[in-house]
Amino acid sequence: MGEPVLLTYLHEPDQGELQAYSARGGYEGLRRALSMSPEAVTDEVDKSGLRGRGGAGFATGRKWKFIPKDPAVTKYVVVNADEGEPGTFKDRTLLEGDPHRLIEGIVIASYAVGAHLAFIYLRREFYHAREMLERALAQAAAAGMVGRNAAGSGFDLSIVLATGAGAYIAGEETALLESLEGRRAMPRLKPPYYPAVKGLYTQPTVVNNVETLCHVAWILAKGYEWYRQQGPPILISVSGHVARPGVYEVPLGTTIRQVIDRAGGMRSGRKFKACFPGGSSSAILPAAYLDTPMDYDALAKLDVYGSMLGSGALIAMDDTTCMVEVVARTVEFYRDESCGKCTPCREGTMWLGQALHRMLGGKGRVEDLPLLEGIARGMTGTCFCPLGESVPPAIYSTLRFFRHEYEHHAKTGTCDVRVMA
Amino acid sequence: MTDGNAETRERGNAAGLSEGAKSEIRRLMAQFPQRQSALLGALFVAQNEVGFLTPDALADIAAVMGLPTSEVTSVASFYHLLFFRPGGRHVVQVCTNLSCMLNGCGRILDHLRRQLGVEVGETTSDGAFTLKTAECLAACESAPAMLVGTERFGPLTPGMVDEVLSRYRRATRSMT
Amino acid sequence: MSQFPLTVTLTIDGKAFSVPKGTTIYHAAAQAGIEIPIFCYHDRMPPLGACRMCLVKVDKMPKLQTSCTLEAAEGMAVSTTTPDVRAGQEAILEFLLINHPLDCPICDKGGECPLQDQTYAYGPGRSRFIEAKRDFAKPVSLGRVLVLDRERCILCWRCVRFGELVAGDDALKGFERGFHTEVNAPFTLPVESKFIGNTIAICPVGALTAKTYRFAARPWDNQTVPSVCTLCGVGCAVEFDVRGGAITRTRAREQPAINDIWLCDLGFFGHNYVHHSERLRTPLIRRDGGLVEATWDEALDAVARRLRAASPSRVAMLGGARLTNEDAYVAGRFFRSVIGTNHLDHRTDAPPDGASLQAPWGMASSIAEVGDADAIVLAGCDITEEYPIIWLRMKRAVDRGAAIIAITPKALEIGRFIAHHLVHRYGSGAQVVSALMEAASGASPAAAETGGIPREAISAAGARLAHAARPLILIGRGALDAPDGAKIYAVLRDLAARFHAPVNVMRGKGNAFGAHLAGLLPHAGPGGRPLGEVRHDLESLWGATVADGAGLNAPGMIEAAGQGRLDVLYVAAADPATDVPDRARWNEARTRLPLLVVQDAFLTQTAQVADIVLPALVAPEKDGTVSNIEGRIQRLHAAVPGPGQSRGDWGIFAALAARMGKVIAYSGWEEIFEEMRTLIPGLALDARVSLNGVGDRVSGVGTEPSPAAQPLIPDPGPPDDPDYPLILIIGDVLFDRGAMTSRSPAIADLAGEPWALFHPEDASRCGIAEGDATVVRSRRGSVAVRAKLSSAVLPGQVFLPRGYDGAPANALVDLSEPVTHVQAAALAPVAGGSEGRGEEGAR
Ligand SMILES: Cc1cc2nc3c(=O)[nH]c(=O)nc-3n(C[C@H](O)[C@H](O)[C@H](O)COP(=O)(O)O)c2cc1C
Ligand code: SF4
Ligand code: FES
């Protein structure tokens, strides 16, 4: 297990100040990058094995390579700081605790792909992060790290900070671009309009997550070999019924059990019952899967539909938890955050919400189990974007692992979990 | 979760923007290669000035930005932090998503309902607080969590809620 | 790109075939005769992929794919009927139906509803949905013509995207999100659109319906008659649905060259005048000061007697845009050969010295070409008000990167799409186009004045124009009839010659082009051929002598009548009282005129003061042909019979000829058309008879010999008369209240009360607020209007629309002055609200 990387200085109260940041080796990655060719920077990121930390896990170096090299083509870098996946809070933690790291990562990414304008799309509710970022941006500009002739390299980059207005779907990269263009955050058609082909203002655009770009700053500062030796590291947001919820940095492939242990185990006297390993968009896993490594492939390869590492949000639930209630709340979230563009997501989430609500209200029927399964089936593979597709995994996995809870609700109109706990 | 925007959109209201707000919107427009990118920012400028999005304010934004009023209104109605009806001076947003639910946000919400004497979506009679629920605030390490205005609190206990409310009440009183 | 194959081969349901690269699976399947259900996809808009109805299975792709968005690729294997495809489609339909009210029996869309049809074809058959359906207040009214039922809406976004992508009016929008999403107008206010009828046409369910058609008929009761809309000059292809001898609705007919599949709202909702109770049913003869009913025999005898008695040179005819090509041709034959006069004209609304009489009306380009232009100069032409469908082409050109350069005395509503919007003081358009010409040709600025427009703005426009590969010039009435219109036209023609741009003279409503083509002109005969040239052909065809020498043009006739030099003025399908530029001159002419005959469908302002009135048919009642502004010949089919004893126009002329002992006999419109074909090269159904080359010449075929290019009239400058401080601008609007429009209730409502547009500064100086009852007064007369405030007009100018019979703009005009100056004041409200309306010009 390597040393902490991303979280190294997060406990330092002055880490958001340029001086302190620089004194701790900040902006060295940037200087190094600017002394290399853009292709070499991309290669370095490619070799580090870094995969996007926004949820989809796409290889960052490869993504950058899609951007056309032609200097006549205007390109943009857009930072996805809209962190909204339930249970995920690592980006906010990084923004509040180490804002210069993100700025450093942005300049490096922009240099690598030849962008001269970058945007940070920040979740509106992140007021404290905004203060920190605004201050850091001003400092970085004053120190010549961004702006004309960044760090004396001859490379120009402006960074514009924009905020959202309350919409989870704006975290989806094409919806984010719509929102950044001042429209309703409705996802764009993909294919053929991937951001790298036709992104912001129809120009080639790199969209990267906050954590991803922080990794980039570290990779360029320390070199990809060192970085790989650290795990490579990822941040996991651990919450729910654990003793010490928080952001933990672990080497990729640490098991769910180990991560929960890092977070102090389950809260006192309680037994683990289930967890979302990768935010509420992933399937719910019971105790039998505790030894699964938290790794892109291991989670995706499980025999549970929709299991994934996602944004690394581990929500642990103990034996007092009613799974029907958890699923109902999850469905409600997607229902309220659905953009309404496509039929299955808009109608399916509403129908599921109504049926689950009815069941929790004591009016469930045995036919509701196949009904829930059927509605989920109708949404599976038919939605316009991944938001709608995020709903079936929770339904399928709980119908499979916790079917008796649904049956109990349907037959008795009451919850047996509370009684048991 | 509806916040009743639709009904107010239908009723309408009147109050436009000051010159200061308009020039702030023009400043935002200058930041972007395309002016419509400043729309969300402009809507918050209007909301902060007028309190909520009135038809006149929306028409003013449209005029300053050279956009159809219909587009401005349509965009605004998509986002949950933009309001078409008046609210209290402080918006209390209680996270009710999974981690907070698992950590008892229901109790906190009940406590707030009682203390403020309002239901979710309503504003206290003195106009001080509007109570709302929120989706995951990305504060799950301190669940149950809430935002009051721009300040985040958690993990909440009923006692802590009382403390925060009285602090905001005092601040409001000393302001007026 | 040539290394890539231009076609790809794929299999659909096991059958292999090739399609051009870029074809979507949906279209590829359609070409193979395989129908895939759709809702959101519409072939006039890019794919959206929202409804998810069109799912198909593609080999090696794990998920079902939307066929409307997926492009065919080499070797792709597609199935449209496998069990998983069926399951997917069933699921989508089930989702769409759970919140649909299923009120088909009382829905106007019933019987022609894709949702209904597809539910039969692909639906799950029974419902598992036991929860409460989403409920919305319904139906809601969104203005005069549109009704919205949000519960029926399946959120396909077609209507919203039509407004955004096709019309550019953003009338309907999506509001809220998720399952609260609704289509609506902001704050449920009436939609602001000239094209909203199209959204009703493309809505796949009964969510958007027409107030004018609510519960009027079921589709299977309707009989559909193809025809042409003649309400403006574009000539959109329409079909009338007819039930029980009455038109129940108008729909667009696909005509790629003109309207594609769209119509404007005047076309959609403007047909009701046809069945209005005030249609003329019998001839009328003035007796003891009043018009009384008469028989056709009495009326025709009376007209024939007076015509016989009059000297041919003292008989004149004004023909109008309501005539078909055949009507206009027979009218020409009657007056030239039976009466022996060449005082024929259809340009009733042209001012005496303006460029409207010099320029050949009509388009040199085709309508379709407008969509391909890369720079469009719009001089004095309010395209959405005058030729709305052509705007849709311009919008397309703009979407493809074209720049519009608009030189207008009032800002246009499409301002958002205009790259260079040069709004100038009225009367200084020539300065602007001259400066534009200089800028475009790189000359150093010589013109001292630029009509109040910053020179940089003109330079930028000029630079853009200089780089255009396919520029196009449109000149409209707002420029042609301006005091400096002749100069504007001359400069634009120079500009056109320099940049190889066609000049399109956007002039003439209804079948004006047809009247031109048929020869209702004082100096030219059929085909616009000069009289001297065409006379012998006419004489041999008609077996009669045709008078020599050019006759009086329209303003000349009015002037002659005013001087007592005319005995008979015969007006067919025209309304000079409202159309002539100066109403006082008309009134004077009328008083001095011994006989005024009016042949029309309503008691127009002119007919009200006629001596004999003959009831005529209107376009939907006629067979024959019409020509649109680009010279395209289309077929009218009589959809309904005319009321009472009303008759077709050419038949009336033939009957009059008979009374005068001459024979004008045709078996039907076809024979007339065939005769016209012998005279007019290129005349054929659905073909364009272009005025090819005419736009490049001042004199010659089809145009009047022009007086020497007029000197540039100096900028009227600040008015010298402090009592009348405002400059009056008059313009056409799409929705007005004329003889026909005021009798189409939907259009009359859309038009509203007469209005005038003031700049807010002027308004506050005159003590006028938005909506105030206001009187606008010139030295000549006054009209009562509602004030509208907008900075679309420049300070010091006021805009008054034409076409409101209740507030005739021409009552204010004195043609002896280049510009009309007016004053304005709010009227004290009068109980009952009819404050002083009907006040008209001094007689
Ligand atoms: C519904 C939805 C919500 C998303 N929300 C976020 C988010 O809040 N933050 C984020 O970085 N990525 C989010 N993503 C992922 C983005 O679409 C995108 O993959 C990511 O920003 C790319 O950055 P990365 O390659 O650095 O991970 C979301 C995706 C979906 C489908
Ligand atoms: S109103 Fe009709 S056209 Fe518009 S979104 Fe709804 S179903 Fe589609
Ligand atoms: S028709 Fe293809 S998704 Fe709607």
Side-chain angles (χ1 to χ4, degrees):
Chain A
M1 228 182 242
E3 297 295 308
V5 180
L6 280 90
L7 298 183
T8 313
Y9 301 114
L10 253 77
H11 58 276
E12 304 282 0
D14 61 353
Q15 179 68 4
E17 297 297 321
L18 179 74
Q19 236 179 345
Y21 180 72
S22 304
R24 296 181 186 122
Y27 286 115
E28 267 163 25
L30 169 60
R31 287 204 185 80
R32 180 165 164 254
L34 293 178
S35 71
M36 300 158 59
S37 72
E39 292 76 20
V41 174
T42 305
D43 272 344
E44 181 101 7
V45 171
D46 203 17
K47 285 189 214 141
S48 75
L50 174 63
R51 294 174 67 168
R53 299 297 305 125
F58 196 86
T60 306
R62 254 184 79 204
K63 186 186 270 192
W64 293 4
K65 284 182 183 169
F66 289 139
I67 301 293
K69 298 268 178 308
D70 184 354
V73 176
T74 305
K75 303 133 195 154
Y76 300 106
V77 164
V78 172
V79 183
N80 190 338
D82 196 44
E83 189 174 51
E85 176 74 17
T88 315
F89 46 98
K90 40 121 191 155
D91 293 341
R92 197 212 79 236
T93 306
L94 290 170
L95 288 163
E96 290 177 351
D98 203 4
H100 281 286
R101 190 80 54 196
L102 174 65
I103 295 169
E104 186 173 354
I106 296 170
V107 186
I108 295 169
S110 303
Y111 176 73
V113 300
H116 298 288
L117 189 53
F119 298 89
I120 303 173
Y121 184 90
L122 182 69
R123 197 172 156 187
R124 184 79 194 175
E125 293 92 330
F126 288 1
Y127 297 103
H128 182 50
R130 174 145 135 222
E131 259 171 53
M132 297 298 292
L133 255 184
E134 275 173 348
R135 189 178 160 75
L137 279 169
Q139 289 175 345
M145 292 297 158
V146 296
R148 284 213 150 276
N149 192 14
S153 65
F155 172 69
D156 303 336
L157 175 73
S158 313
I159 301 180
V160 175
L161 179 60
T163 62
Y168 163 72
I169 186 61
E172 192 283 327
E173 57 189 9
T174 61
L176 185 152
L177 296 178
E178 285 290 300
S179 187
L180 197 51
E181 289 181 10
R183 285 191 273 273
R184 297 161 65 83
M186 318 251 271
R188 295 177 181 173
L189 202 56
K190 282 200 294 191
Y193 308 116
Y194 294 102
V197 183
K198 262 192 177 185
L200 191 63
Y201 311 127
T202 70
Q203 296 303 118
T205 303
V206 163
V207 182
N208 271 137
N209 166 261
V210 169
E211 185 192 335
T212 308
L213 291 173
C214 291
H215 283 277
V216 165
W218 280 104
I219 291 164
L220 266 293
K222 303 273 195 166
Y224 74 92
E225 285 120 335
W226 174 87
Y227 174 82
R228 290 192 74 124
Q229 279 160 20
Q230 311 311 309
I234 56 162
L235 296 185
I236 305 286
S237 313
V238 189
S239 68
H241 292 148
V242 292
R244 288 194 308 272
V247 178
Y248 291 88
E249 185 172 331
V250 297
L252 194 64
T254 309
T255 65
I256 298 173
R257 189 189 303 280
Q258 287 168 325
V259 175
I260 290 176
D261 286 347
R262 283 279 301 275
M266 300 307 285
R267 59 180 182 180
S268 58
R270 289 293 165 192
K271 255 180 46 214
F272 175 90
K273 176 173 183 179
C275 73
F276 288 96
S280 66
S281 300
S282 63
I284 296 175
L285 301 179
Y289 295 88
L290 269 174
D291 292 315
T292 312
M294 296 203 63
D295 163 284
Y296 297 97
D297 300 331
L299 276 165
K301 278 200 207 109
L302 286 189
D303 63 345
V304 185
Y305 177 85
S307 158
M308 61 172 184
L309 178 61
S311 55
L314 177 58
I315 307 171
M317 295 168 271
D318 68 19
D319 49 3
T320 64
T321 314
C322 164
M323 296 319 285
V324 181
E325 198 182 337
V326 165
V327 169
R329 185 64 192 86
T330 308
V331 165
E332 271 173 21
F333 169 73
Y334 291 106
R335 179 196 67 197
D336 295 345
E337 298 298 332
S338 164
C339 79
K341 180 173 187 161
C342 78
T343 309
C345 173
R346 180 183 68 238
E347 305 295 333
T349 52
M350 184 183 126
W351 192 357
L352 283 171
Q354 284 172 311
L356 285 162
H357 188 80
R358 184 165 46 71
M359 187 176 268
L360 286 173
K363 300 232 165 61
R365 311 164 306 168
V366 208
E367 312 92 275
D368 287 335
L369 276 73
L371 176 67
L372 293 170
E373 168 116 25
I375 302 171
R377 189 79 47 227
M379 296 176 69
T380 305
T382 61
C383 294
F384 186 90
C385 91
L387 187 144
E389 301 287 339
S390 300
V391 176
I395 306 271
Y396 295 146
S397 56
T398 50
L399 276 172
R400 172 170 160 200
F401 301 117
F402 304 99
R403 194 171 191 87
H404 55 277
E405 290 188 32
Y406 286 94
E407 280 165 353
H408 191 90
H409 271 283
K411 285 183 189 142
T412 68
T414 59
C415 181
D416 58 344
V417 179
R418 294 268 159 68
V419 185
M420 276 159 35
Chain B
M1 214 174 314
T2 182
D3 46 14
N5 282 356
E7 299 89 89
T8 331
R9 261 196 305 103
E10 281 162 23
R11 231 179 312 125
N13 205 303
L17 295 186
S18 68
E19 273 315 309
K22 289 181 188 169
S23 60
E24 172 62 10
I25 292 172
R26 286 191 197 96
R27 190 189 67 77
L28 292 175
M29 280 157 66
Q31 287 191 315
F32 298 94
Q34 289 181 11
R35 59 187 176 199
Q36 189 163 348
S37 281
L39 181 51
L40 296 191
L43 287 162
F44 281 109
V45 169
Q47 178 160 300
N48 291 342
E49 175 166 292
V50 186
F52 64 105
L53 297 173
T54 60
D56 283 359
L58 293 162
D60 281 353
I61 293 175
V64 173
M65 297 188 68
L67 297 171
T69 314
S70 57
E71 171 74 359
V72 171
T73 314
S74 160
V75 169
S77 74
F78 186 88
Y79 295 96
H80 279 183
L81 297 175
L82 291 164
F83 310 131
F84 286 83
R85 61 176 182 190
R89 271 183 297 284
H90 311 291
V91 180
V92 180
Q93 299 186 67
V94 182
C95 177
T96 58
N97 211 295
L98 290 169
S99 304
C100 288
M101 179 184 106
L102 296 173
N103 284 287
C105 71
R107 262 185 314 133
I108 297 298
L109 201 55
D110 285 344
H111 186 72
L112 272 160
R113 273 202 200 99
R114 264 195 313 277
Q115 292 301 303
L116 298 175
V118 295
E119 286 304 312
V120 173
E122 294 177 352
T123 301
T124 54
S125 51
D126 60 355
F129 297 100
T130 297
L131 181 61
K132 292 194 176 246
T133 54
E135 293 302 357
C136 181
L137 290 171
C140 321
E141 82 276 29
S142 43
M146 69 173 178
L147 270 179
V148 181
T150 64
E151 244 187 316
R152 189 174 69 232
F153 300 95
L156 295 171
T157 58
M160 191 170 161
V161 167
D162 292 344
E163 213 173 285
V164 172
L165 290 183
S166 62
R167 179 148 75 71
Y168 270 86
R169 278 214 180 87
R170 271 200 306 279
T172 311
R173 236 175 275 128
S174 65
M175 257 165 44
T176 48
Chain C
M1 284 281 173
S2 56
Q3 69 265 39
F4 295 111
L6 293 173
T7 60
V8 293
T9 304
L10 74 165
T11 66
I12 301 184
D13 295 338
K15 277 181 288 179
F17 46 96
S18 299
V19 293
K21 207 170 170 340
T23 307
T24 60
I25 299 296
Y26 169 77
H27 278 294
Q31 282 167 32
I34 297 168
E35 194 200 335
I36 299 174
I38 52 168
F39 287 118
C40 69
Y41 180 68
H42 189 281
D43 61 6
R44 296 308 194 276
M45 296 183 249
L48 183 69
C51 76
R52 319 303 287 174
M53 188 63 212
C54 63
L55 296 169
V56 294
K57 174 85 188 123
V58 179
D59 260 16
K60 299 201 199 72
M61 291 192 168
K63 292 206 241 168
L64 296 176
Q65 301 290 316
T66 46
S67 59
C68 72
T69 64
L70 185 69
E71 285 183 9
E74 188 60 37
M76 222 177 220
V78 178
S79 339
T80 69
T81 53
T82 54
D84 48 342
V85 171
R86 274 225 58 110
Q89 289 173 344
E90 265 186 30
I92 300 300
L93 260 181
E94 183 176 29
F95 285 142
L96 285 173
L97 291 172
I98 57 174
N99 278 303
H100 191 84
L102 299 172
D103 56 351
C104 309
I106 55 154
C107 177
D108 282 333
K109 199 80 178 184
E112 51 183 14
C113 175
L115 182 64
Q116 207 179 25
D117 298 346
Q118 296 185 0
T119 303
Y120 285 125
Y122 307 93
R126 69 196 169 84
S127 180
R128 301 183 286 174
F129 186 74
I130 59 161
E131 328 292 337
K133 284 182 192 263
R134 170 173 32 221
D135 76 309
F136 280 116
K138 66 179 259 187
V140 288
S141 159
L142 294 183
R144 178 54 184 84
V145 292
L146 188 66
V147 188
L148 167 70
D149 184 324
R150 289 167 291 184
E151 293 179 349
R152 289 184 192 153
C153 173
I154 58 169
L155 291 170
C156 71
W157 301 100
R158 282 182 178 187
C159 55
V160 172
R161 287 175 11 114
F162 170 81
E164 290 172 352
L165 303 174
V166 181
D169 61 18
D170 292 66
L172 291 168
K173 286 283 178 183
F175 293 94
E176 309 299 314
R177 73 178 191 216
F179 75 97
H180 290 294
T181 307
E182 59 175 281
V183 159
N184 207 331
F187 302 97
T188 315
L189 291 168
V191 283
E192 282 175 37
S193 177
K194 291 185 167 65
F195 302 98
I196 210 69
N198 297 297
T199 64
I200 296 170
I202 60 175
C203 179
V205 293
L208 295 174
T209 51
K211 271 187 199 167
T212 52
Y213 183 66
R214 268 174 93 72
F215 312 124
R218 304 298 275 175
W220 48 85
D221 298 334
N222 286 321
Q223 189 199 336
T224 297
V225 184
S227 192
V228 178
C229 174
T230 52
L231 297 173
C232 84
V234 178
C236 294
V238 297
E239 51 195 28
F240 295 116
D241 278 342
V242 177
R243 184 191 188 200
I247 299 172
T248 54
R249 66 176 165 178
T250 306
R251 289 185 298 167
R253 192 156 52 81
E254 182 167 357
Q255 166 50 279
I258 304 173
N259 52 303
D260 191 7
I261 58 165
W262 313 115
L263 288 183
C264 79
D265 289 350
L266 184 61
F268 271 116
F269 308 111
H271 61 251
N272 285 351
Y273 75 91
V274 173
H275 307 300
H276 197 277
S277 60
E278 286 166 26
R279 275 293 296 278
L280 294 174
R281 293 164 174 275
T282 68
L284 305 171
I285 297 181
R286 187 166 299 277
R287 291 203 175 105
D288 309 323
L291 285 170
V292 297
E293 291 188 0
T295 65
W296 272 103
D297 280 341
E298 289 167 330
L300 290 174
D301 279 342
V303 177
R305 190 170 2 99
R306 300 290 292 268
L307 283 174
R308 230 181 284 120
S311 145
S313 67
R314 294 175 69 89
V315 176
M317 187 262 184
L318 281 172
R322 195 180 41 68
L323 301 178
T324 63
N325 294 337
E326 294 76 21
D327 292 334
Y329 177 80
V330 175
R333 174 171 176 183
F334 175 77
F335 283 96
R336 290 193 206 278
S337 71
V338 177
I339 307 293
T341 179
N342 282 328
H343 303 328
L344 298 172
D345 207 346
H346 67 277
R347 299 164 301 174
T348 315
D349 56 14
D353 315 309
S356 277
L357 289 175
Q358 297 165 32
W361 294 13
M363 293 178 71
S365 322
S366 70
I367 289 173
E369 274 160 3
V370 176
D372 297 326
D374 65 348
I376 298 172
V377 176
L378 205 53
C381 176
D382 199 341
I383 194 76
T384 53
E385 301 286 0
E386 297 175 75
Y387 304 98
I389 283 297
I390 296 180
W391 158 244
L392 303 188
R393 302 277 178 170
M394 292 177 67
K395 167 79 169 53
R396 261 180 54 168
V398 170
D399 291 343
R400 295 170 178 174
I404 300 180
I405 299 166
I407 303 154
T408 51
K410 173 176 85 73
L412 307 184
E413 68 179 340
I414 50 169
R416 203 154 50 92
F417 301 98
I418 298 178
H420 304 278
H421 205 167
L422 311 175
V423 183
H424 59 81
R425 282 195 304 275
Y426 189 59
S428 10
Q431 295 171 353
V432 182
V433 292
S434 300
L436 180 70
M437 173 72 174
E438 283 166 7
S441 48
S444 53
E449 276 272 7
T450 54
I453 295 167
R455 194 171 286 280
E456 312 81 73
I458 298 178
S459 303
R464 181 68 186 78
L465 187 58
H467 289 108
R470 294 175 309 282
L472 210 80
I473 297 172
L474 273 63
I475 180 169
R477 200 171 177 182
L480 292 165
D481 292 357
D484 54 352
K487 175 76 179 172
I488 298 177
Y489 180 51
V491 176
L492 285 180
R493 284 209 337 281
D494 290 347
L495 194 73
R498 183 166 186 122
F499 295 102
H500 310 289
V503 177
N504 296 282
V505 180
M506 307 307 285
R507 199 65 172 79
K509 291 188 175 185
N511 195 31
F513 197 96
H516 179 124
L517 208 60
L520 281 188
L521 286 168
H523 58 282
R529 295 163 61 192
L531 267 186
E533 179 200 314
V534 78
R535 230 179 91 216
H536 301 290
D537 289 353
L538 296 181
E539 289 182 339
S540 64
L541 265 175
W542 296 342
T545 39
V546 168
D548 197 3
L552 294 169
N553 62 17
M557 292 176 206
I558 309 287
E559 191 184 345
Q563 293 166 350
R565 291 192 281 119
L566 284 189
D567 290 341
V568 180
L569 179 62
Y570 196 111
V571 175
D575 190 7
T578 50
D579 288 345
V580 297
D582 177 335
R583 194 178 185 99
R585 285 197 186 183
W586 161 256
N587 288 337
E588 175 66 20
R590 172 64 196 108
T591 1
R592 308 284 308 270
L593 199 56
L595 183 74
L596 174 64
V597 181
V598 173
Q599 177 172 315
D600 216 320
F602 288 104
L603 212 52
T604 61
Q605 303 268 309
T606 308
Q608 286 167 26
V609 296
D611 299 299
I612 298 172
V613 180
L614 305 176
L617 300 182
V618 293
E621 297 158 353
K622 293 187 186 184
D623 276 308
T625 64
V626 285
S627 321
N628 75 352
I629 189 162
E630 56 163 4
R632 193 173 301 274
I633 313 299
Q634 297 180 89
R635 172 88 155 85
L636 289 180
H637 290 269
V640 289
Q645 302 168 24
S646 50
R647 292 192 186 176
D649 291 273
W650 69 259
I652 299 176
F653 293 119
L656 264 180
R659 302 268 156 175
M660 297 183 69
K662 298 281 164 57
V663 179
I664 294 183
Y666 295 102
S667 57
W669 73 272
E670 295 92 336
E671 193 183 349
I672 306 170
F673 189 72
E674 283 311 314
E675 185 170 314
M676 291 173 75
R677 279 165 59 90
T678 66
L679 293 163
I680 305 170
L683 184 73
L685 263 183
D686 297 316
R688 260 189 94 193
V689 184
S690 80
L691 294 179
N692 221 351
V694 171
D696 299 328
R697 269 171 285 173
V698 192
S699 58
V701 182
T703 61
E704 262 183 281
S706 103
Q710 295 204 332
L712 179 53
I713 292 176
D715 182 351
D720 40 11
D721 188 342
D723 290 342
Y724 295 89
L726 300 169
I727 290 176
L728 179 69
I729 308 172
I730 300 175
D732 289 326
V733 291
L734 186 62
F735 304 127
D736 60 21
R737 286 187 169 186
M740 292 195 267
T741 44
S742 65
R743 289 167 178 105
S744 280
I747 303 301
D749 284 3
L750 285 167
E753 287 183 75
W755 52 275
L757 206 60
F758 297 91
H759 189 276
E761 284 171 18
D762 295 326
S764 77
R765 200 170 315 115
C766 302
I768 297 168
E770 174 78 33
D772 274 0
T774 302
V775 61
V776 176
R777 201 183 306 274
S778 72
R779 292 207 178 274
R780 260 297 170 80
S782 65
V783 293
V785 291
R786 285 274 165 215
K788 293 188 186 182
L789 271 47
S790 160
S791 44
V793 284
L794 296 175
Q797 308 196 148
V798 51
F799 175 86
L800 201 70
R802 278 194 200 91
Y804 281 84
D805 284 353
N810 62 358
L812 301 177
V813 177
D814 178 354
L815 276 179
S816 54
E817 307 199 342
V819 196
T820 302
H821 289 103
V822 295
Q823 52 170 240
L827 282 177
V830 169
S834 58
E835 45 280 283
R837 205 124 54 78
E839 191 177 355
E840 273 191 19
R843 296 210 181 213

